Amino acid sequence: MAMKRIVRIIGVICSIMLLSACTNSTEKEQYVLYAGHSLAEDHPFESAMQELAKRVEERTDGRVVIETFPLSQLGAERELIEGLMLGSVDMMVSTSGPLINFVSDFGVLDLPFLFNNREAAVQILEGEIGDELFAQLRAEGIVGLSWGENGFRHITNSVNPIETPDDLKGLSLRVQENKVFIDAFKQLGANASPMAWTEALTALQSGVVDGQENPILVIDSYKLYDAGQKYMTLSGHSYSSAVFMMSEHAYNRLPEDLRQIVYEEGQKIGAYERELVIDKEQEALSRLQEQGMEVVEQIDVGIFREKIMSVYDSTKNQQLLQQILEKQ
């Protein structure tokens, strides 16, 4: 009897082990990717990330899930970029400005009045020049997926309308944390104050700075008219290119088939996001005017550009600068 009982127990154990082996062979591991950015939940950055998550989940049958974190929940832009390099953040979308701190050639893209229009910018960034910049990112452990945008940047302030460079003299202006923006606005006569966007909101509300410069969608999304920003000039001084990126750590962690799907969908999402920006800009501008912001719609770009030519001259990669200028 004892022997028969032992045989039965062994048989049950073997059956359980076999069933477990079969179950494990049919179940496939799920991968969760954390994606962050610094802008609000209603911004195209978030809408595009959610669309990317939807497409990836559908194509991978739920094996890859992308969870999105807007409003700097995972960190401000510079912190997110560092997170990509370290592997503590999986994906992000960021304006290209903070990338200058890691790949200096991105600074060329921030030169004021560099691109003639949106079409020229997209054509250049999606060509050989953009590919070379992505290759430099890859050397830092970041996989560039595609180029999005945050629209053209414009100036707002609480003091006076800005129609000429003289109107900027003495104004304290929050700018992005990169040398190109700091130098350019100093040349235009403003007191440039570099700071993260999370800090900028408090600075505007408390009057520590008089103004800032950002695309229309950001100005509208954060209701900067409630932070004393009464005047806006459609200077279009910088095309705010953006980059959808993935940590090389996360990229390599995925099996090859899933990695390919994420990469393919990532390559498409930039164009999707750009269309969202275009669709929303005019509506946002009308809303800002309805809230009482006084808008200067046209300026003499030539006068402003002349003031910042020393910034062009000091650009380290003159070859890249000339390539961009010649392609327009």
Side-chain angles (χ1 to χ4, degrees):
M1 288 292 290
M3 181 60 69
K4 288 183 178 180
R5 187 164 60 249
I6 292 171
V7 170
R8 283 201 301 271
I9 292 171
I10 293 173
V12 171
I13 292 173
C14 289
S15 297
I16 292 173
M17 291 177 65
L18 180 61
L19 179 61
S20 177
C22 290
T23 302
N24 289 338
S25 66
T26 56
E27 287 183 355
K28 294 183 178 180
E29 185 176 356
Q30 186 182 68
Y31 299 85
V32 179
L33 303 177
Y34 297 102
H37 61 87
S38 66
L39 298 182
E41 294 177 353
D42 61 351
H43 190 275
F45 277 9
E46 177 66 10
S47 301
M49 272 297 188
Q50 289 187 8
E51 178 66 18
L52 177 61
K54 176 184 174 184
R55 294 179 183 183
V56 167
E57 188 165 359
E58 287 178 353
R59 284 193 61 190
T60 62
D61 295 324
R63 291 181 64 197
V64 178
V65 175
I66 299 174
E67 295 187 5
T68 65
F69 296 86
L71 287 168
S72 301
Q73 293 177 52
L74 299 182
E77 287 182 321
R78 181 164 181 160
E79 295 168 327
L80 286 170
I81 296 167
E82 291 170 345
L84 291 184
M85 297 167 68
L86 294 170
S88 58
V89 176
D90 299 316
M91 304 181 78
M92 71 172 291
V93 54
S94 167
T95 52
S96 59
L99 288 169
I100 187 177
N101 298 293
F102 307 92
V103 176
S104 62
D105 282 353
F106 273 90
V108 176
L109 302 183
D110 283 335
L111 285 169
F113 310 109
L114 175 67
F115 295 110
N116 293 338
N117 50 52
R118 176 179 270 115
E119 291 72 24
V122 171
Q123 184 178 8
I124 288 168
L125 294 175
E126 292 195 333
E128 293 179 3
I129 289 174
D131 290 344
E132 172 56 31
L133 290 170
F134 275 10
Q136 292 186 58
L137 273 182
R138 191 60 178 268
E140 300 297 325
I142 297 173
V143 180
L145 298 173
S146 58
W147 293 92
E149 70 167 63
N150 201 10
F152 280 89
R153 302 180 76 89
H154 308 290
I155 303 168
T156 71
N157 81 98
S158 60
V159 179
N160 54 258
I162 295 169
E163 298 178 347
T164 71
D166 288 341
D167 297 323
L168 279 166
K169 287 182 178 178
L171 283 181
S172 57
L173 205 68
R174 177 268 172 180
V175 298
Q176 290 190 90
E177 298 175 281
N178 74 61
K179 190 174 185 299
V180 173
F181 270 67
I182 296 168
D183 291 347
F185 278 100
K186 282 183 177 178
Q187 291 298 316
L188 289 170
N191 297 323
S193 299
M195 64 182 73
W197 183 237
T198 47
E199 299 172 20
L201 290 171
T202 302
L204 288 167
Q205 291 165 352
S206 61
V208 171
V209 294
D210 300 316
Q212 59 85 57
E213 48 80 44
N214 251 311
I216 290 173
L217 294 186
V218 174
I219 296 167
D220 174 56
S221 179
Y222 284 91
K223 299 180 173 60
L224 294 191
Y225 42 81
D226 287 338
Q229 299 298 283
K230 183 178 180 180
Y231 306 99
M232 177 165 67
T233 296
L234 300 184
S235 53
H237 56 271
S238 177
Y239 175 72
S240 187
S241 56
V243 185
F244 286 84
M245 296 170 278
M246 185 175 185
S247 168
E248 193 166 34
H249 294 277
Y251 182 80
N252 291 334
R253 189 169 75 243
L254 295 176
E256 187 174 352
D257 59 330
L258 302 182
R259 181 191 310 155
Q260 186 62 27
I261 290 172
V262 173
Y263 185 72
E264 288 174 358
E265 294 302 331
Q267 286 184 303
K268 301 173 188 174
I269 205 62
Y272 174 88
E273 188 270 344
R274 290 196 304 268
E275 288 302 316
L276 291 179
V277 171
I278 294 169
D279 290 344
K280 289 188 173 186
E281 274 189 338
Q282 191 56 51
E283 178 184 338
L285 179 59
S286 297
R287 191 159 46 241
L288 291 170
Q289 291 174 308
E290 289 170 3
Q291 292 296 327
M293 289 190 81
E294 297 182 24
V295 179
V296 175
E297 297 193 10
Q298 289 187 330
I299 60 170
D300 186 338
V301 171
I303 297 175
F304 281 80
R305 183 185 285 121
E306 183 179 341
K307 288 280 188 180
I308 55 94
M309 287 312 296
S310 62
V311 180
Y312 273 61
D313 294 339
S314 64
T315 297
K316 292 181 180 179
N317 195 333
Q318 288 291 322
Q319 182 179 2
L320 175 58
L321 172 59
Q322 292 306 314
Q323 284 178 328
I324 292 175
L325 294 175
E326 290 169 3
K327 286 181 177 291
Q328 299 183 76

